[in-house]
Amino acid sequence: MKINQEIHITTDGKTTYAVLKQNGKVLNRSEAKCHPDDKFDFETGAKIALDRLEMKRT
């Protein structure tokens, strides 16, 4: 069986979420929250959420 892995990065404008899926099943997820005093930046949030997701895999 072929293994299909995907990472989905989404945001609600304050929190950025990273979700790791394998064959459609969620294996792990992480998030990065923007401090209320900071300006939201999707790229920064995505990098942090992805780093946290990778740390959970090890």
Side-chain angles (χ1 to χ4, degrees), residues 28-56:
N28 223 329
R29 62 181 79 219
S30 66
E31 63 182 47
K33 293 184 180 181
C34 182
H35 189 278
D37 295 339
D38 291 338
K39 182 180 177 194
F40 176 78
D41 180 72
F42 177 77
E43 186 176 345
T44 300
K47 286 179 183 178
I48 293 169
L50 186 57
D51 286 346
R52 290 178 178 170
L53 185 67
E54 288 298 316
M55 287 182 1
K56 287 183 174 185

